[in-house]
Amino acid sequence: MGKGGGGVAPHRLDTVTQPLYARGMNKCDNKGTGSRPTAAIVVAGALLAIMLSSCTRPDGVVSLEDDHLFSLKYGNFEDQLNLFTLANPAPVQTRLTMRDGFFYIANGEDRKVLELNSYGDLLGIYYNSEGNPVPSFAEGEGSGTTASTRKAVDYPFNALGPIAADSRKYIYVVDQLPPERHEQDTENRLLLSQIVLRFASDGTFIDYIGQRGPGGTPFPYIRSLHTTHSNDLVVVCQTNEGMVVYWYDRTGYLRSTIPFTVDQLPNPLAEESLHDMHVSLENIVPSLTEERLYVKIDYYTGSVDTASNVESGIDYTGSLLYPLDISTGVYGEPISIPAYEQEVSDGFSRQDYNLPYDFLGVTDSGWLFFIIADEEGYSIQMVQESGDRSIHRHLEMDHRSILYSSISLSPEGIISMLVAEEDEARVLWWRTDSLIDAILKG
């Protein structure tokens, strides 16, 4: 049984991590109509909205409805997305993150970055003028102009990837260097071609981050970017042997490089198994408040054909989440992550399968979020850092209309998603942060 798939692959899903703010929960609230709610009304109404917009499924799991924030049409203008290549088998290069109520979308297909508020108002655009028209609000003002309310920054992007933002509203986005500047790591058999661009809150390009800091050696393939409460930057890269994490302070100075190879990962389940145990490093996410990494490992046991006495496949065994202190390099006690139970019916027979959740991220209050697609949307499991308590919720979604999605988790615990459909892209969120707040206060 494959990792994390659950036999359900309705569309392409990109999972990234990163944050909130004032928007009402009324699904009839449209941009530009009526007055916008005050922060006090939004906060007071959030808990009520969570209760009113939820229902209980037959399996007893509470289902949460999404709050549709805004939509984006397809096209090349400043307030549109270029997603015309969704029918192609190539990976989609459009990512979403959200910080303090502001949405940042890296539209790699159009080589531009959009900054929007929760009503879909365009606050800034960073674009490659070779393939994009000058934004209408910046015409006649020259490239790199910063209007009183909106930014238009011309930058020669090549191939955009993951995106993140910090509390200073600095934007970090992965880009690829031109081919003549690529490097080869012959020892580890890696192509080094990606960098992390940094832009200040006023749109000014600061520099790019490489492995050793500003202007450093390019990275191997970058899986994800993260920022902490102290505005540190954490870059997670994929390698042939596992992953490597680069941790920088707020100035871009390299603090730590932490490599992870599959053959050196903890494997306590091997002693309990009579068969070969296979280890899969699923994801690594930094703590938002401490110098700690959370390392999720999935374990699979080899299944042996009784007739030939040879390994015929692998079966999912379990998942453990390890906290790693980056100052000492020592793993803490792992948390066992309960599996997702999928029921498969065939005529009068029924069989249950255990499948691993994907690790979505961690909140500033220490709740760990896990996600898996099912036939009616997404199952969410929230586990306290201590492992003492877990909560299950379901996000209703019709996969049949979705071509691609990018999902993000905020430090407060809001799940937001960019959903690409045939005619437009929608931005949604689920206020799971209110659920966490109610538990903490209770």
Side-chain angles (χ1 to χ4, degrees):
M1 183 66 67
K3 176 181 78 67
V8 178
H11 66 272
R12 286 176 278 182
L13 169 68
D14 170 67
T15 56
V16 292
T17 51
Q18 288 293 323
L20 124 104
Y21 276 6
R23 174 157 180 112
M25 299 294 292
N26 184 354
K27 297 176 73 64
C28 297
D29 176 31
N30 297 316
K31 184 182 72 169
T33 61
S35 60
R36 302 187 181 185
T38 65
I41 295 175
V42 170
V43 172
L47 283 173
L48 177 61
I50 280 288
M51 292 184 289
L52 295 179
S53 62
S54 63
C55 59
T56 302
R57 291 159 47 87
D59 57 9
V61 176
V62 175
S63 181
L64 302 177
E65 291 185 8
D66 65 82
D67 185 15
H68 176 205
L69 301 180
F70 57 89
S71 298
L72 296 169
K73 296 297 184 182
Y74 295 142
N76 296 105
F77 292 110
E78 64 262 24
D79 57 350
Q80 297 177 329
L81 292 180
N82 181 341
L83 287 174
F84 298 119
T85 60
L86 285 176
N88 298 338
V92 180
Q93 300 298 332
T94 293
R95 310 291 183 89
L96 166 81
T97 192
M98 193 262 283
R99 181 86 190 200
D100 300 333
F102 298 99
F103 290 84
Y104 304 87
I105 301 175
N107 185 197
E109 286 73 13
D110 217 15
R111 294 184 293 174
K112 68 183 179 185
V113 172
L114 303 182
E115 179 183 355
L116 310 105
N117 64 17
S118 61
Y119 292 90
D121 300 324
L122 182 66
L123 305 178
I125 178 172
Y126 304 74
Y127 66 103
N128 186 327
S129 58
E130 289 187 1
N132 290 277
V134 176
S136 58
F137 61 86
E139 290 180 351
E141 300 184 19
S143 63
T145 184
T146 303
S148 58
T149 57
R150 293 192 284 185
K151 302 183 288 285
V153 179
D154 185 356
Y155 187 87
F157 297 119
N158 293 305
L160 294 175
I163 187 169
D166 67 19
S167 64
R168 300 170 295 182
K169 295 185 180 177
Y170 280 26
I171 296 176
Y172 305 83
V173 63
V174 173
D175 199 11
Q176 184 169 287
L177 290 171
E180 63 271 17
R181 296 177 61 186
H182 293 182
E183 300 183 23
Q184 295 284 342
D185 180 347
T186 55
E187 180 180 354
N188 296 300
R189 298 174 291 112
L190 294 171
L191 173 66
L192 309 179
S193 63
Q194 293 191 315
I195 55 176
V196 179
L197 306 176
R198 290 200 297 177
F199 294 90
S201 59
D202 63 358
T204 303
F205 173 69
I206 302 173
D207 54 22
Y208 77 79
I209 301 294
Q211 290 187 36
R212 299 179 182 177
T217 303
F219 295 98
Y221 177 76
I222 298 175
R223 287 172 51 98
S224 59
L225 299 179
H226 309 267
T227 57
T228 70
H229 277 196
S230 57
N231 295 322
D232 287 0
L233 172 69
V234 181
V235 181
V236 181
C237 294
Q238 187 75 51
T239 68
N240 293 320
E241 308 299 329
M243 299 183 196
V244 58
V245 176
Y246 301 88
W247 194 305
Y248 304 87
D249 69 12
R250 59 187 292 137
T251 69
Y253 175 78
L254 178 64
R255 300 179 58 188
S256 301
T257 301
I258 310 102
F260 295 84
T261 58
V262 172
D263 59 357
Q264 294 181 347
L265 294 175
N267 189 1
L269 302 183
E271 300 176 359
E272 305 173 8
S273 176
L274 299 177
H275 305 292
D276 291 338
M277 181 70 67
H278 302 267
V279 177
S280 174
L281 178 57
E282 192 269 316
N283 199 8
I284 301 174
V285 174
S287 167
L288 302 180
T289 57
E290 301 182 66
E291 296 183 356
R292 177 187 303 158
L293 294 172
Y294 294 99
V295 183
K296 180 174 176 285
I297 305 174
D298 297 331
Y299 298 90
Y300 298 81
T301 304
S303 57
V304 177
D305 180 74
T306 54
S308 60
N309 200 33
V310 298
E311 187 173 298
S312 58
I314 58 174
D315 296 319
Y316 173 63
T317 305
S319 297
L320 295 176
L321 187 77
Y322 284 88
L324 176 70
D325 187 325
I326 66 170
S327 62
T328 64
V330 176
Y331 286 105
E333 287 295 317
I335 303 170
S336 179
I337 307 303
Y340 172 76
E341 297 181 3
Q342 183 184 47
E343 180 182 297
V344 178
S345 299
D346 183 11
F348 295 103
S349 64
R350 188 189 75 180
Q351 191 165 1
D352 294 331
Y353 293 94
N354 287 337
L355 302 172
Y357 283 88
D358 289 333
F359 183 25
L360 182 57
V362 60
T363 69
D364 50 15
S365 58
W367 282 86
L368 307 159
F369 276 60
F370 302 87
I371 186 171
I372 188 171
D374 59 34
E375 293 183 353
E376 298 176 340
Y378 295 94
S379 291
I380 300 292
Q381 182 174 204
M382 296 168 276
V383 181
Q384 272 188 322
E385 187 176 21
S386 62
D388 294 336
R389 186 168 186 175
S390 65
I391 303 171
H392 292 81
R393 290 295 182 267
H394 190 266
L395 310 182
E396 296 292 322
M397 182 164 289
D398 184 358
H399 292 295
R400 294 171 297 179
S401 63
I402 301 174
L403 303 175
Y404 170 77
S405 64
S406 178
I407 190 168
S408 175
L409 176 70
S410 79
E412 297 83 1
I414 296 176
I415 297 173
S416 55
M417 184 182 291
L418 172 72
V419 175
E421 299 174 321
E422 183 176 356
D423 298 322
E424 65 179 9
R426 297 184 296 128
V427 174
L428 327 166
W429 72 19
W430 291 265
R431 295 298 303 267
T432 42
D433 62 318
S434 299
L435 174 64
I436 293 174
D437 287 343
I439 293 172
L440 294 176
K441 292 176 182 178

